[in-house]
Amino acid sequence: MHSNKNILITGAAGFIGSHVLRLMVLKYPNSNFVNLDLLTYAGNLENIKDVESAANYTFIKGDICDAVLVKSIFEEHQIDGVIHLAAESHVDRSIEDPLAFIQTNVLGTVNLLNAAKQAWQNNYEGKLFYHVSTDEVYGSLGKTGLFTETTSYDPRSPYSSSKASSDHFVRAYGNTYGLPFVISNCSNNYGPNQFPEKLIPLFINNIVEEKALPVYGDGQYTRDWLYVIDHAIAIDAIFHNGSEGETYNIGGLNEWTNIDLIHLLCELMDEKLGREKGSSSRLISYVKDRPGHDKRYAIDASKLCDELKWQPTVDFKEGLSKTIDWYLDNSEWLEHLTSGAYKEYYQKQYG
Ligand code: NAD
Ligand code: TYD
């Protein structure tokens, strides 16, 4: 059991980080949480507005690649635990600009590792560096089989390659310098606060605006979807009770082809918007495939379920319904995002 006092969470203004931060700040009033986030296009302080004035929370706007800043945070806040989520996280953007992914995901992670090593090397006792990663490092599955913790790495996009590289560096710091670490690799998340460049929020937004739903290729790609709060609960369990030096796979036991998921989303949206049945699915438009598109991801999470007694708690249809409700009730959040830079990205990606 780790009971760290002063925890640095990186990227907690982003989608998953915001849910992790909220859970931790409220559940552990005797620990202090420092959020280091650069507030890139994907970071948004509105995501964590409800906890911003908590006594055990501090926000620092800055770059995980800034060695001087990161070193000073470790010193000033006596950091004894790290939960590292900050990253460039979107595959399509990585295809356009791989270097940005190497910069943040690889160099940024190594910079954090250096700071942790330097601050902790005289006494690693009770310290922990938790690196949050993705199932995409394992590559692409055929029709059968699941990714386990021992599946060989086979990243196939610039995004997954940068995450795989960062995972390797974390293990290398454990092996070479004795840095205490834990890694988790999770499947696709969905839920409130996800930036609308990812499939589910993009399509919710487009249905509201009656815009085309751009399905890549034949739509027969499979993903294993997990409600974001279940991911946050798993991260809490692994950070506090996971075994040092171990890897845990996290997944929803919930595989959907994109096209089946999109039809379910369309049905739910028709009901919620009071539109005629079938009107949202008429927006489906098959477009050019993503280059190097991974066919199928699916996770075997039995290690996490058996060792740490974790289980997904939110059924997919219920989670999707809650997610849609959140986006419909928070149109202002979306409007703030869909101005400016996002419009430019959308135009470039979808024409
Ligand atoms: P996100 O893109 O929504 O948020 C990333 C956050 O990191 C943002 O707040 C951004 O401002 C911040 N950030 C980016 N570059 C930074 C830098 N240089 N310095 C400091 N902060 C920086 O991402 P997400 O979907 O919440 O993913 C979080 C983590 O979880 C990532 O490491 C990602 O690889 C991993 N992950 C995501 C999923 C998923 O489905 N979204 C699944 C598995 C793992
Ligand atoms: P995404 O949300 O980008 O997650 P990832 O690529 O990390 O799995 O995409 C989920 C799936 O949806 C993936 O197979 C690509 C597909 N997709 C589309 O068909 N159209 C889109 O506009 C987007 C963004 C994704």
Side-chain angles (χ1 to χ4, degrees):
M1 167 88 189
H2 288 96
S3 49
N4 308 64
K5 251 341 260 144
N6 299 313
I7 297 152
L8 173 64
I9 307 189
T10 68
F15 167 48
I16 300 170
S18 63
H19 292 280
V20 173
L21 179 81
R22 177 175 303 102
L23 185 156
M24 297 268 178
V25 162
L26 299 177
K27 187 169 171 188
Y28 303 102
N30 295 325
S31 293
N32 301 307
F33 297 90
V34 177
N35 170 17
L36 172 62
D37 196 302
L38 187 58
L39 301 181
T40 66
Y41 78 91
N44 184 349
L45 291 177
E46 279 185 46
N47 294 346
I48 42 178
K49 218 173 169 14
D50 54 324
V51 290
E52 72 186 0
S53 53
N56 60 342
Y57 171 62
T58 306
F59 172 64
I60 297 171
K61 181 176 186 298
D63 192 338
I64 56 167
C65 300
D66 180 340
V68 175
L69 173 68
V70 173
K71 182 172 186 278
S72 75
I73 293 172
F74 270 80
E75 281 168 7
E76 277 168 35
H77 295 271
Q78 295 291 296
I79 298 299
D80 58 5
V82 175
I83 304 177
H84 173 38
L85 295 117
E88 288 292 338
S89 67
H90 189 41
V91 173
D92 292 328
R93 287 184 189 255
S94 81
I95 294 168
E96 281 300 307
D97 184 9
L99 279 175
F101 284 67
I102 296 166
Q103 175 72 23
T104 297
N105 299 358
V106 185
L107 296 181
T109 301
V110 175
N111 192 43
L112 286 167
L113 288 165
N114 278 339
K117 169 177 156 286
Q118 211 181 0
W120 299 344
Q121 62 194 350
N122 292 331
N123 181 12
Y124 278 140
E125 187 64 34
K127 313 291 196 300
L128 188 64
F129 190 104
Y130 181 173
H131 178 60
V132 176
S133 192
T134 167
D135 62 352
E136 302 190 25
V137 298
Y138 298 122
S140 180
L141 289 164
K143 280 194 168 39
T144 58
L146 299 171
F147 296 135
T148 71
E149 288 81 0
T150 56
T151 301
S152 299
Y153 274 34
D154 182 23
R156 294 155 41 93
S157 75
Y159 164 65
S160 55
S161 301
S162 68
K163 291 297 292 187
S165 174
S166 62
D167 293 10
H168 290 321
F169 272 105
V170 175
R171 292 196 183 94
Y173 272 62
N175 183 59
T176 310
Y177 307 112
L179 189 87
F181 75 90
V182 66
I183 298 178
S184 60
N185 297 83
C186 187
S187 63
N188 287 61
N189 284 214
Y190 71 100
N193 301 113
Q194 188 169 31
F195 194 83
E197 64 188 354
K198 306 276 167 66
L199 180 74
I200 290 178
L202 176 80
F203 277 35
I204 293 174
N205 196 21
N206 283 14
I207 292 171
V208 170
E209 294 184 0
E210 298 181 86
K211 278 167 52 178
L213 304 178
V215 179
Y216 294 161
D218 61 5
Q220 296 299 326
Y221 294 87
T222 300
R223 298 291 183 264
D224 172 359
W225 292 93
L226 179 69
Y227 193 61
V228 64
I229 292 176
D230 278 327
H231 189 187
I233 293 169
I235 289 175
D236 176 28
I238 294 166
F239 183 70
H240 287 101
N241 298 313
S243 302
E244 266 174 41
E246 290 293 320
T247 296
Y248 294 88
N249 279 358
I250 312 172
L253 311 167
N254 178 42
E255 287 184 50
W256 287 78
T257 61
N258 291 342
I259 197 65
D260 287 349
L261 185 161
I262 291 160
H263 278 297
L264 173 61
L265 183 70
C266 287
E267 252 175 58
L268 291 169
M269 291 290 289
D270 285 344
E271 273 170 40
K272 288 183 190 283
L273 295 170
R275 290 183 186 164
E276 186 200 336
K277 210 168 173 222
S279 47
S280 298
S281 58
R282 280 196 285 276
L283 297 169
I284 290 174
S285 159
Y286 289 92
V287 300
K288 198 163 115 325
D289 210 348
R290 170 187 282 173
H293 200 164
D294 286 340
K295 189 75 188 161
R296 176 171 165 258
Y297 305 141
I299 280 278
D300 175 352
S302 51
K303 177 175 172 182
L304 175 64
C305 299
D306 294 347
E307 281 185 23
L308 301 181
K309 309 293 169 231
W310 174 88
Q311 282 290 333
T313 62
V314 180
D315 156 80
F316 188 55
K317 202 168 168 190
E318 177 199 340
L320 202 52
S321 174
K322 281 205 233 186
T323 304
I324 297 169
D325 290 344
W326 186 86
Y327 281 93
L328 296 180
D329 292 344
N330 289 274
S331 52
E332 262 181 37
W333 181 90
L334 213 54
E335 276 157 26
H336 294 167
L337 299 180
T338 49
S339 56
Y342 176 71
K343 275 198 181 134
E344 254 170 58
Y345 166 79
Y346 195 93
Q347 187 61 28
K348 204 165 163 215
Q349 179 70 15
Y350 298 104

